[in-house]
Amino acid sequence: MEKILVGLKRVVDFNVRVRVKTDGSGVETDGVKMSINPFDEIALEEALRIKERGEASEVIVVSIGPAEVQQQLRTGLAMGADRAILIETEKPVDPLGVARIFKSIIDQEGADLVLLGKQAIDDDNNQTGQMLAAIWGRPQATSASKFALNGDTASVTREVDAGLETIEIDLPAVITVDLRLNEPRYVKLPDIMKAKKKPLEQFSIDDLGVERGPEVRAVTFEPPAERERGIMVDDVAGLVAALKDKGLL
Ligand code: AMP
């Protein structure tokens, strides 16, 4: 296959304890470590392995977000992607808008495979891949924990509620990846230097002529209620008494 497109979303690093802004307008990102969405790193790792096996010729990383998203794209290039496309926008874009942007890039570039994360850990939407497959009119396999390419098809093992399910899909297609697919590689210093010279193209949403569509407007953000401290009981009788006390038995 020729090209694999990989979506990289910039999110608050998964090790950071997320804090809600005091005015409730969103989540604090000032001075907070930002990273590639962990599922997207797995998607890129898989794309790179496919290329290294000689089954693809080019891996392109794509990100939609503010100018700072360049940092995550450069990390993607240092991991081994061939080039990067940044769609710069200060306003967050909903999954439908992101799916439309990917479709527009597919129309310009062509793509044999689009690899995305199963979800972005900031909004936990789990929608973009599904919407893109629908708009593109191509098959999808979500939450992949294993897959193999066989020419014009892919055999994908998916993590579903009941366990594992293996399906066969025609390519080109969208595959969204789950945690157990692989362990992403670490970036080495020489690769970071090399990545600085790799091409990073930049467009605006208007350049692509993409409609953002109806937007989900977040009215207010609130931190979850503090958890009450637990109590220690000495024995089962104590547990039963404590549960009765709370009206749970
Ligand atoms: P979501 O539907 O928002 O949970 O996102 C699912 C996947 O779509 C993510 O793991 C990314 O691969 C891709 N994606 C979503 N938003 C963006 C974005 N702003 N830039 C690049 N990729 C994105």
Side-chain angles (χ1 to χ4, degrees), residues 38-84:
F39 293 107
D40 302 355
E41 250 187 313
I42 295 170
L44 175 55
E45 175 64 36
E46 201 61 25
L48 297 173
R49 291 185 190 185
I50 294 169
K51 190 185 160 195
E52 285 159 3
R53 286 199 301 268
E55 293 179 319
S57 12
E58 193 176 28
V59 175
I60 306 171
V61 282
V62 179
S63 192
I64 299 131
E68 294 81 10
V69 158
Q70 281 200 26
Q71 295 161 6
Q72 281 64 43
L73 286 172
R74 288 283 170 211
T75 305
L77 292 170
M79 278 176 73
D82 297 289
R83 58 192 175 95

Side-chain angles (χ1 to χ4, degrees), residues 7-9 37 40 62 64 98 116-117 119-120 125-128:
L8 297 189
K9 188 175 187 189
N37 180 45
D40 302 355
V62 179
I64 299 131
V98 174
L116 303 177
Q119 69 197 64
N125 282 318
N126 190 338
Q127 294 171 358
T128 307

Side-chain angles (χ1 to χ4, degrees), residues 23-44:
D23 65 0
S25 64
V27 163
E28 198 60 75
T29 51
D30 280 353
V32 169
K33 182 172 182 219
M34 305 293 286
S35 299
I36 297 176
N37 180 45
F39 293 107
D40 302 355
E41 250 187 313
I42 295 170
L44 175 55

Side-chain angles (χ1 to χ4, degrees), residues 214-229:
E215 283 170 17
V216 174
R217 197 166 53 83
V219 182
T220 182
F221 285 72
E222 275 175 44
E226 287 280 332
R227 270 181 74 167
E228 277 179 46
R229 272 180 78 91

